[in-house]
Amino acid sequence: MSMAGAKDPPGGRGAPTPQPSSQRGARGGWLAKIAPGVRNLVSKRETPENLWVKCPDTGEMIYRPDLEAALWVTPAGRHMRIGPELRFAYTFDHGAYERIEPLATTDDPLHFGAGKPYRDSLSAARKATGERDSGSVGAGTIKGVPAVAFVQDFAFMGGSLGMNTGESFIAAAKAAIARDCPMIAFTASGGARMQEGILSLMQMARTTLALQELRAARLPYVVVLTDPTTGGVTASYAMLGDVELAEPNALIAFTGARVNPIRETLPPGYQRSEYLVEHGMVDQVVERKNLPTVLGSVLGTLMAARARSAAA
């Protein structure tokens, strides 16, 4: 009779007969003789999660502490997406800043229920990012120049523009006017938030009006375009800066590359920051590590010009 289909006993073919639990405890080897606290420490030690991060461009595995020390810029030069906490810490002097909260808005004003309920999406995004919505505001100094910064978080529902995001932008503009200092916007968005319908599209007009108040106060507004900046954000406050900066290789567009209404062959990389700076849509492409220095210089120059104009 063939034994090919028979299963081996637990532990494998020829495994020793299991010992009673009392014998196993008495013959547990050198680890059983260590003090219980030390034994537990050794047995429970685990490798931390996310210790290695894969480079999206090369597939190289990067040691996370090294990537953090490089401001989340890979050896290949990819400027990875970061949230408000890191953006504020990297931008303001000594990483010191004050959070500014916007006016509260209504969650799910349209009771949107197609597909996943909107309230569930909001709850998941808040839990994952620790932020109230996709827009955050902080105030501090950049190379000694006081400034207010508005930061969009792409990790929060694709950085989509909704009512709360619009209120955050308006809060940043009002804070800049109250503090008599410049405003910076770090944009990262997939566009308007469909779950809020026309209320989302209204934020394009509301943020533009807030910028008119900032300009009436003769205060500079500088935009830093990060990957990606698209849709209604590109069609509004992302392109209204007195100075337009961008991080390297950032996707900056209104629609995706596959949407081509003019039916013409478009050059490679035409939606990337390097192409746009060559064609006058962006003033300068700046690496993340150099942004504080460049921003400090730009803001200092603009504020000095404002002071000279007021004195004339």
Side-chain angles (χ1 to χ4, degrees):
M1 177 178 177
S2 172
M3 298 296 293
K7 293 185 178 179
D8 291 338
R13 189 172 296 173
T17 304
Q19 297 294 323
S21 58
S22 59
Q23 278 189 292
R24 288 202 304 268
R27 300 175 61 184
W30 65 271
L31 193 58
K33 301 176 183 178
I34 299 178
V38 178
R39 180 182 179 183
N40 291 338
L41 180 65
V42 173
S43 62
K44 292 181 180 179
R45 180 178 296 171
E46 297 177 357
T47 303
E49 294 183 3
N50 303 321
L51 190 58
W52 297 89
V53 179
K54 186 175 182 180
C55 175
D57 298 321
T58 65
E60 175 189 5
M61 298 304 293
I62 308 167
Y63 188 45
R64 187 185 183 95
D66 291 343
L67 190 57
E68 291 172 347
L71 310 184
W72 287 89
V73 178
T74 70
R78 166 67 73 97
H79 284 53
M80 300 184 75
R81 297 163 184 168
I82 58 176
E85 289 289 345
L86 289 180
R87 183 66 71 180
F88 290 142
Y90 295 162
T91 302
F92 290 120
D93 295 340
H94 312 296
Y97 61 92
E98 170 193 353
R99 280 276 191 152
I100 297 172
E101 297 299 328
L103 293 175
T105 58
T106 303
D107 288 347
D108 195 13
L110 303 181
H111 306 291
F112 190 89
K116 184 177 181 180
Y118 181 34
R119 286 184 179 273
D120 292 349
S121 298
L122 281 175
S123 297
R126 286 168 180 168
K127 182 178 180 180
T129 64
E131 299 292 341
R132 171 72 182 171
D133 213 283
S134 63
S136 300
V137 185
T141 61
I142 304 173
K143 299 302 178 182
V145 181
V148 173
F150 165 80
V151 176
Q152 284 185 274
D153 187 359
F154 192 78
F156 194 107
M157 298 186 70
S160 50
L161 174 61
M163 292 171 61
N164 191 280
T165 313
E167 286 294 343
S168 294
F169 187 94
I170 293 167
K174 289 184 179 296
I177 294 170
R179 295 164 186 252
D180 199 39
C181 69
M183 175 181 167
I184 306 164
F186 291 88
T187 60
S189 178
R193 189 171 299 174
M194 67 173 186
Q195 294 92 335
E196 295 185 14
I198 191 64
L199 298 175
S200 172
L201 297 179
M202 286 172 61
Q203 306 312 308
M204 297 171 63
R206 297 182 72 234
T207 53
T208 302
L209 290 173
L211 287 178
Q212 293 302 319
E213 294 182 13
L214 194 72
R215 292 212 165 92
R218 301 177 63 82
L219 290 168
Y221 171 59
V222 176
V223 178
V224 180
L225 303 157
T226 74
D227 183 67
T229 297
T230 63
V233 170
T234 303
S236 56
Y237 55 83
M239 290 297 156
L240 296 177
D242 300 311
V243 176
E244 296 278 337
L245 306 176
E247 288 192 330
N249 201 40
L251 174 65
I252 304 164
F254 179 66
T255 63
R258 290 177 295 180
V259 180
N260 183 1
I262 62 175
R263 301 179 184 276
E264 295 289 338
T265 301
L266 298 170
Y270 75 98
Q271 294 178 320
R272 296 291 171 174
S273 48
E274 287 76 10
Y275 181 92
L276 297 177
V277 76
E278 291 176 2
H279 293 79
M281 193 171 176
V282 172
D283 294 303
Q284 186 177 351
V285 176
V286 184
E287 292 185 15
R288 187 170 293 163
K289 64 181 179 180
N290 297 327
L291 270 172
T293 299
V294 172
L295 284 171
S297 176
V298 169
L299 297 179
T301 300
L302 293 175
M303 289 301 285
R306 175 177 181 260
R308 288 194 299 269
S309 176

